[in-house]
Structure formats: C-alpha cells, structure tokens
Amino acid sequence: MRSEQWQKMTVPQLQKLAQELKAEKNCYIIAHNYQDVAVQQIADFVGDGLQMAIKAAETDADKIFVCSIKIMAETTKILNQEKTVLMSHATADCRLANMQSPAELQKLKAKHPGAEVICYVNSPATLKAQSSITCTSSNAVDIVGAMPRDIPLIFVPDRNLAAWASYKNDRPLITFDSFCYVHHQITLEQVLALRRMHPNHTLLVHPECRLEVCKEADMVCSTSQMIDFVATHDNVIIGTEIGLYNQLKYRYPEKNLVPMSMAMSCEDMKKTTLRGAVKALYEEAYPITVPDDIGRKTIDSLNRMFSVVQAL
Ligand code: 13P
C-alpha cells in the first residue's frame, strides 16, 4: 500500500484491517497497559510486560505482534522462542532500562563479588541475563524479602523501585542511578496538593515513583494491581503513565478517576500509533531477535522468580 492510502484510512478501517491481517498471518496481538485505547482495541490481550509475554505463550498462532517497547518484546521472544515476534515500532524502547549498560552491571558485580543480582523484568535482556533472579513491580518487595539476609544484593536498574524494596525490607540494596523519567518527575509537593484537592480519593502510585511519593501513597502497586483495584473502587488517583488512566477512564466512564499528572506520558510507549502499528503488522517490519545464550540465562533468572513467588 502507498503512504497516501495509509494516511486516508479512518480508525474503524484501520482496526478492521488489523483483524484481517491477524487472521491472514495467523498472528496474536498483545498490547501494554500504557498503549492508546485505539491500539489496545486491536489486541487479543492487554496487560503488563510480563503478563503479555506469558499470555502469548498460550497461543497457537505462528506470530506474535507486540504493541509496546523493545524490552517487553524481548521478554515475549524469550518465552516464545519458536515463534516470530514482531514489534509495532522500530525504535520504541525504554529510557530507564538503557540508562546504564550491561558493562556497568559487570563492573558493579566485580566490585561486589559475593552479591546476588536482582533485575527488574522491565529491562533489556542483556541485564536480566546477568542476574540471578528477576522481579516485577508487584513482587519486588517480596523477592528482596525472600533472599538470604547475609548476602549483599544488587538491584537494577530502577533506583526508585530499589529504594521502595529496600525501605519495605529494611535492607540496603546496591543499585544503579537509573530512573523512569515519567514516574520520577512526580514530586511530594504535587502529591500533597492532589491529596488536598481530592481528600476522599485513594492514592495509588507505581513503585517507579520517588520513595517519598511512595511513602505518601495509600497503595504502591503495579499497573495490573491498579486495574484490579479500580474494578471495585470509584474514587481513585492513578499514579502512573497516562495511558493507564486513559484505559481505565474508557472502561469506567462513571468512576471518579483522577490522573496524577497529564505530563506522565512515556514518549516511547506513545511512538506506537494505531496507523503505525497496522502498517508495521502489514509489512512485518520489525522482527525481534535475542541471542540464544542471553535467552537461556534470562529464562533461568525468570524461573527463579517464578519458584520464589510460588513458595510465598
Ligand atoms: P508494570 O506494568 O510492570 O507495573 O510496569 C510498567 C512500567 O512502568 C514499566 O516501566
């Protein structure tokens, strides 16, 4: 198709074409919680990064199309090695995840030879492959709590998630200086002002926010935990990327939901538009590959997390 033809297509036409391409290509589409609603509407499953990868492993489809960022598509590929995994955008990636290189983690490990490495699942495979165990935003506190107390712990890459897990376990963690600019921008003053404006709302924040912001929240939770909470509560402040607020507002127009800040928008998540995604699917333009050894080591680290979580 020529570019003028793509430009002329309306949202319903693009969504219809996505359904046709999905059937024609035997493809399963997954979208992250932060994607635009119009993109989520073409997906077979919407969830957080790890949920998407796990859900995709249940499908018989030959191809998986990931509407999200590269680090999450990599996790999908690692858990679906025999399938073709395609991305919705060429350069959508995570600024936090790439703030420090795999070589810097090697240096940190060399400096602390007895330490175990915990790596946040929302990070590049090259970091996860160097860790002994992964964690998610919902289980980071429990994973740190499950590690033997006499062993030093390196926790990468998000310093705010590390600070929260450290605070909740009263245990020091060695970490990088990386942070998610979307969550880190929120200050305690902003949160206190929101509290004054909405005294009857429950304040949910993502643990990638600063420690002082997390301490002020009623609940610190992952995107999936926020979705579950809103299903049964009406007055809620949504302290994470704006895509999640938009999704929830669309699902529950009658509820009194308040975004923590309209400025909490992830540029990389927003690189995927409905038009761009359907075009990328049509062209199968952006396949994802992960070297075998990186994939194997990452699976070991993920499996360790799964067994710790099962034993909790
Ligand atoms: P979760 O969907 O795992 O809560 O995390 C989203 C996020 O903020 C990625 O950096």
Side-chain angles (χ1 to χ4, degrees), residues 1-198:
M1 259 198 279
R2 290 201 308 275
S3 69
E4 318 86 77
Q5 288 174 287
W6 283 110
Q7 286 315 316
K8 277 188 195 150
M9 289 182 85
T10 62
V11 168
Q13 285 169 337
L14 287 163
Q15 290 182 331
K16 183 164 172 283
L17 177 57
Q19 297 312 318
E20 289 163 5
L21 291 171
K22 205 156 73 169
E24 194 183 291
K25 292 172 184 284
N26 190 19
C27 185
Y28 186 76
I29 303 183
I30 51 182
H32 188 263
N33 284 327
Y34 293 158
Q35 291 291 304
D36 282 344
V37 171
V39 173
Q40 292 178 347
Q41 284 170 335
I42 66 167
D44 298 293
F45 179 77
V46 178
D48 65 39
L50 187 60
Q51 279 179 333
M52 288 193 300
I54 292 172
K55 192 70 187 170
E58 292 172 9
T59 175
D60 292 332
D62 304 321
K63 292 172 185 154
I64 302 165
F65 185 71
V66 188
C67 298
S68 181
I69 52 176
K70 185 175 166 215
I71 52 164
M72 296 185 183
E74 277 183 349
T75 308
T76 302
K77 178 66 187 172
I78 288 166
L79 294 187
N80 295 276
Q81 284 164 22
E82 72 298 350
K83 296 190 175 147
T84 300
V85 174
L86 302 160
M87 265 285 288
S88 52
H89 192 277
T91 62
D93 207 349
C94 177
R95 230 187 269 177
L96 148 72
N98 292 298
M99 264 184 194
Q100 259 127 356
S101 68
E104 280 165 293
L105 178 52
Q106 269 161 15
K107 270 194 226 156
L108 203 58
K109 285 168 78 170
K111 219 167 129 188
H112 304 277
E116 293 255 30
V117 179
I118 304 175
C119 185
Y120 185 27
V121 74
N122 294 323
S123 64
T126 45
L127 284 190
K128 288 200 283 286
Q130 289 194 58
S131 68
S132 35
I133 185 164
T134 45
C135 72
T136 64
S137 49
S138 54
N139 67 26
V141 170
D142 290 334
I143 295 289
V144 169
M147 302 300 277
R149 269 203 103 90
D150 53 340
I151 295 175
L153 297 179
I154 295 174
F155 187 112
V156 289
D158 188 329
R159 77 173 200 214
N160 289 333
L161 183 59
W164 179 242
S166 164
Y167 167 73
K168 291 298 282 181
N169 284 287
D170 191 17
R171 177 168 186 180
L173 296 173
I174 304 153
T175 191
F176 278 164
D177 194 26
S178 306
F179 55 86
C180 163
Y181 75 98
V182 176
H183 291 95
H184 190 72
Q185 67 177 297
I186 299 302
T187 61
L188 181 59
E189 290 65 36
Q190 273 173 283
V191 171
L192 293 174
L194 263 181
R195 276 252 194 245
R196 283 193 293 275
M197 278 167 72
H198 306 281

Side-chain angles (χ1 to χ4, degrees), residues 74 77-78 81 125-126 129 289-298:
E74 277 183 349
K77 178 66 187 172
I78 288 166
Q81 284 164 22
T126 45
T289 54
V290 176
D292 285 349
D293 61 325
I294 301 275
R296 265 195 312 276
K297 288 179 187 160
T298 304

